[in-house]
Amino acid sequence: MGMGSDMYRQQILDHYKNPRNYGELEDPTYTHVGENPMCGDEIRMDVALDEETGVIERVAFQGDGCAISQASASMLSSELQGTSIEELMEMGRDDVTEMLGVDVSPMRVKCAVLAEKVAQDGYEIYEGEKDLDKTSTEE
């Protein structure tokens, strides 16, 4: 393990202890909740969209769980602001692990991608493409 991974670990702990955009939005375009039952992670994402342009204006999250799930929600909430909903929908696992900056073990990948899945599912439900009460990583 080189120096780099320590720095990234610091970053994950920082986001875990001082989450960005934690809380809720006054008037989100959509809100969705998800969980990773294996680890006990729960995340709720609020997303405010500019309906005209498809640009994500603001994101807030609330949740509870391991450092990776919470840090990834915090990072994602920052990353997504100002990007397009298309970019969110195209995100995959690699984008999330790259954002986190650590090699996520197969066991922890579900923790890492939970926030992204919640944000994506929430949009599909909002668009009427999906019918789902709660996202779960156990599918």
Side-chain angles (χ1 to χ4, degrees):
M1 279 296 196
M3 285 291 292
S5 58
D6 288 344
M7 189 181 81
Y8 283 123
R9 256 190 227 110
Q10 285 307 128
Q11 181 188 343
I12 287 173
L13 281 175
D14 178 43
H15 274 272
Y16 179 53
K17 290 178 179 154
N18 314 297
R20 322 301 193 257
N21 311 298
Y22 196 90
E24 47 191 308
L25 298 181
E26 282 279 287
D27 200 9
T29 310
Y30 68 85
T31 298
H32 188 52
V33 182
E35 61 181 3
N36 170 18
M38 279 285 291
C39 193
D41 306 314
E42 277 207 333
I43 286 172
R44 182 184 122 180
M45 301 289 282
D46 288 4
V47 179
L49 277 180
D50 180 327
E51 307 274 348
E52 296 290 297
T53 59
V55 169
I56 298 170
E57 292 183 324
R58 281 175 313 146
V59 181
F61 84 98
Q62 287 176 309
D64 214 6
C66 71
I68 289 183
S69 70
Q70 302 304 304
S72 117
S74 172
M75 287 181 201
L76 191 69
S77 67
S78 299
E79 291 261 316
L80 288 177
Q81 310 209 48
T83 66
S84 70
I85 193 75
E86 281 77 26
E87 285 174 85
L88 164 62
M89 298 316 284
E90 280 165 14
M91 279 187 85
R93 193 168 104 171
D94 294 347
D95 299 301
V96 175
T97 51
E98 207 168 288
M99 179 180 76
L100 284 167
V102 291
D103 291 325
V104 182
S105 68
M107 277 298 289
R108 309 297 278 180
V109 164
K110 286 176 173 176
C111 310
V113 299
L114 179 59
E116 172 219 354
K117 282 189 65 160
V118 170
Q120 289 172 337
D121 283 354
Y123 181 67
E124 291 191 310
I125 292 161
Y126 167 70
E127 287 286 299
E129 290 161 24
K130 223 177 220 182
D131 184 16
L132 197 62
D133 269 344
K134 188 188 260 190
T135 292
S136 173
T137 52
E138 298 304 301
E139 275 156 298

